[in-house]
C-alpha cells in the first residue's frame, strides 16, 4: 500500500469557497494546514477541493467538488477535512456534514487514509452524534482535553471498557464500534509568520522604542454584547473603556486589529475593519493623547502578517477564539472577553485553572468592567507570558497530531497512535 506522502494529498477547506480574506481564522487554518503538509510531505502534490486564494511559497491545485467525484478522489493518497464545527455537533443534519460522511465512507472502502479535524472548542458530548457515523479507520481529531475526557468518560460508563488508543463509540443503544479519537490542539498554533505592513511596523517601533509603554493588541468583536446593542453603540462604549484604562495605566498604547471581514455587522458597518476605525475615532475624541492605531488601516490582510505584529505586543484583548489562538501561538498572552464555556477549555489548556479564570472577562460591556480587567491584565502580563511559554511546546506538538494521518504505514487510523486525554 502506498504511504500517504507518496501521492496527491487532498484538503477540504472549512467552507467550499474562500476567495477573499473574509474570516482570518478560516484563512489561518488553511495556511497552517498547507504549510504543515508541505513540511511533512515536501514532494507530494496538494489538491484543495474548493476555491482558495494563493498562499505564498506553497504550490497547490484546486478542483471543484464535482471534479473530485469524477476521478480526483481515486487518485488521492490521503484526505484531510478541515471540518470546523462538524465534530462538535453543530453541523447535525447539514448537507456539508452528510457530504463529509459520504467522503469518509468512500475513502474507507478504497483504503485511503482519512482525517476529520475540528478546530473549535465545545462540549464533545455532541460530538458522538457525528463521530458515530464515521468509518472506524477514520482519524478523528476533536479539540481540548476536557472534550476528549468528556467523550471517553461517557463511553466508558456506557460500554464498561475503553482501551488506551481506540475508544468504542456508541452507534446505537445496543451496538458498539471503534472510532479513533485523539486530543489535539488547534492547527492555527502552527501558523507561520511573515512581516507586518510597513506602516504598522513603524508604529510598533515607535511605541516600543522607550521600553516602558505597555502595548496591547485589541479586537472588540464580542458576540454576547452584540445581541444586546448595535455596533455603533459598542464602538462608543468600548472606546470609553479603553480611554479609562489608558487614564489608569498612563503608558498604555493600543493596536486595534480587525479579524473578520465577513458582512455580518448589520447596517452599522460593512465589515469589522470599519468598526475598528470608528473605535479609533471615538478614542481620539475622548482622549486625544491616547496612542491608538488600526492594523493595516482596517483592510483585510494575511494572518501571517497579524501574527508577526502581535508577536511584538505585550498582550492582546479579544472576544474572538482564533485571534486569541494566533496570538498565543506567537507567545503573546490574551485577555478573553466572553462568557462562552469553550474559551475556558482553551485557557485551561494554555494557562491552568486559576490564571485561566483571571484572564476571562464575562461581562465586557458592563460599565467599568473592561477598564478594570485591562488594569488587572497589565499586572498579570509577565506571569501569563511565562506560563504560556512553558505550555507552548506541548501545545504545538499536539497541534501537529492533527495531521498524523500522513505518517500512517497501513492507511488506517487504529489503536497504537493515540494516547490518553492529556
Amino acid at each position: 500500500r502506498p504511504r500517504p506522502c507518496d501521492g496527491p494529498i487532498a484538503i477540504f477547506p472549512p467552507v467550499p469557497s474562500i476567495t477573499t480574506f473574509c474570516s482570518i481564522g478560516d484563512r489561518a487554518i488553511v495556511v497552517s494546514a498547507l504549510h504543515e503538509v508541505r513540511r511533512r510531505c515536501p514532494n507530494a502534490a496538494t489538491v484543495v477541493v474548493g476555491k482558495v486564494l494563493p498562499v505564498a511559497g506553497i504550490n497547490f491545485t484546486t478542483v471543484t467538488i464535482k471534479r473530485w467525484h469524477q476521478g480526483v478522489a481515486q487518485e488521492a493518497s490521503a484526505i484531510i477535512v478541515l471540518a470546523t464545527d462538524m465534530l462538535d455537533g453543530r453541523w447535525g443534519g447539514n448537507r456539508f456534514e452528510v457530504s463529509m460522511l459520504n467522503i469518509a465512507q468512500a475513502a474507507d472502502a478504497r483504503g485511503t487514509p482519512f482525517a476529520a479535524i475540528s478546530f473549535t472548542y465545545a462540549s464533545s458530548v455532541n460530538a458522538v452524534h457525528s463521530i458515530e457515523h464515521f468509518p472506524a479507520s477514520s482519524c478523528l481529531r476533536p479539540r481540548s482535553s476536557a472534550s476528549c475526557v468528556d467523550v471517553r468518560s461517557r463511553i466508558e460508563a456506557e460500554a464498561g471498557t475503553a482501551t488506551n488508543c481506540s475508544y468504542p463509540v456508541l452507534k446505537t443503544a445496543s451496538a458498539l464500534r471503534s472510532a479513533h479519537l485523539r486530543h489535539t490542539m488547534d492547527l492555527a498554533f502552527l501558523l507561520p509568520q511573515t512581516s507586518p505592513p510597513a506602516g504598522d511596523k513603524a508604529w510598533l517601533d515607535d511605541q516600543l522604542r522607550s521600553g516602558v509603554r505597555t502595548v496591547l493588541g485589541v479586537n472588540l468583536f464580542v458576540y454576547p454584547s452584540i445581541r444586546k446593542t448595535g455596533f455603533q453603540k459598542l464602538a462608543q462604549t468600548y472606546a470609553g473603556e479603553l480611554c479609562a484604562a489608558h487614564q489608569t495605566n498612563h503608558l498604555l498604547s493600543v493596536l486595534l486589529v480587525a479579524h473578520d471581514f465577513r458582512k455580518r455587522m448589520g447596517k452599522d458597518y460593512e465589515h469589522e475593519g470599519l468598526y475598528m476605525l470608528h473605535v479609533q475615532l471615538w478614542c481620539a475624541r475622548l482622549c486625544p493623547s491616547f496612542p491608538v492605531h488600526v492594523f493595516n488601516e482596517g483592510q483585510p490582510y494575511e494572518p501571517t502578517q497579524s501574527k508577526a505584529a502581535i508577536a511584538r505586543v505585550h498582550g492582546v484583548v479579544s472576544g474572538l477564539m482564533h485571534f486569541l489562538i494566533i496570538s498565543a501561538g506567537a507567545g503573546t498572552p490574551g485577555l478573553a472577553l466572553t462568557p462562552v464555556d469553550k474559551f475556558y477549555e482553551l485557557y485551561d489548556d494554555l494557562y491552568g485553572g486559576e490564571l485561566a479564570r483571571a484572564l476571562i472577562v464575562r461581562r465586557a460591556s458592563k460599565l467599568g468592567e473592561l477598564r478594570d480587567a485591562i488594569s488587572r491584565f497589565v499586572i498579570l502580563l509577565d506571569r501569563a507570558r511565562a506560563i504560556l511559554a512553558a505550555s507552548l511546546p506541548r501545545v504545538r506538538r499536539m497541534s501537529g497530531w492533527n495531521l498524523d494521518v500522513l505518517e500512517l504505514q497501513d492507511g488506517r487510523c487504529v489503536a497504537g497512535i493515540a494516547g490518553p486525554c492529556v
Side-chain angles (χ1 to χ4, degrees), residues 250-328:
H250 297 291
L251 294 174
L252 185 67
S253 300
V254 164
L255 176 66
L256 292 171
V257 185
H259 188 76
D260 198 311
F261 295 89
R262 288 174 288 186
K263 295 182 179 181
R264 56 175 184 168
M265 307 189 77
K267 298 178 180 179
D268 290 338
Y269 306 104
E270 184 176 352
H271 58 71
E272 195 178 303
L274 299 178
Y275 169 53
M276 294 289 98
L277 288 168
H278 200 190
V279 173
Q280 180 192 40
L281 179 62
W282 271 110
C283 287
R285 291 175 180 175
L286 296 173
C287 42
S289 64
F290 183 19
V292 178
H293 180 80
V294 179
F295 185 76
N296 201 37
E297 299 180 337
Q299 296 303 306
Y301 56 86
E302 283 281 9
T304 54
Q305 294 178 291
S306 63
K307 182 175 180 179
I310 292 303
R312 300 188 61 196
V313 304
H314 297 96
V316 301
V317 180
S318 178
L320 289 178
M321 173 67 77
H322 273 96
F323 184 76
L324 294 167
I325 287 173
I326 292 170
S327 302

Side-chain angles (χ1 to χ4, degrees), residues 46-204:
T46 304
V47 176
V48 175
V49 185
K51 297 179 181 179
V52 173
L53 289 173
V55 176
I58 302 292
N59 293 322
F60 61 90
T61 58
T62 60
V63 299
T64 63
I65 188 68
K66 181 179 180 180
R67 178 73 182 90
W68 168 262
H69 288 300
Q70 287 176 343
V72 177
Q74 308 297 326
E75 304 168 2
S77 62
I79 301 171
I80 298 167
V81 176
L82 305 177
T84 60
D85 300 341
M86 184 172 64
L87 298 186
D88 296 319
R90 291 170 57 184
W91 284 93
N94 188 285
R95 286 188 302 172
F96 177 78
E97 179 178 3
V98 173
S99 176
M100 291 303 103
L101 293 174
N102 290 339
I103 290 170
Q105 291 161 1
D108 182 64
R110 293 191 301 268
T112 305
F114 176 91
I117 299 169
S118 169
F119 56 83
T120 63
Y121 277 78
S123 173
S124 281
V125 168
N126 292 330
V128 176
H129 170 77
S130 294
I131 288 174
E132 66 183 2
H133 300 292
F134 278 91
S137 64
S138 301
C139 302
L140 303 176
R141 300 293 177 257
R143 190 64 65 247
S144 89
S145 56
S147 294
C148 183
V149 170
D150 190 21
V151 170
R152 190 171 64 170
S153 297
R154 175 174 172 173
I155 293 164
E156 288 175 339
E158 303 228 20
T161 180
T163 64
N164 184 44
C165 298
S166 187
Y167 306 131
V169 177
L170 292 177
K171 187 172 184 180
T172 68
S174 59
L176 293 175
R177 58 179 292 282
S178 290
H180 189 269
L181 304 177
R182 192 175 195 181
H183 167 211
T184 60
M185 296 294 286
D186 198 286
L187 264 176
F189 282 109
L190 302 178
L191 180 72
Q193 64 185 55
T194 51
S195 299
D200 303 308
K201 181 180 182 300
W203 185 85
L204 283 168

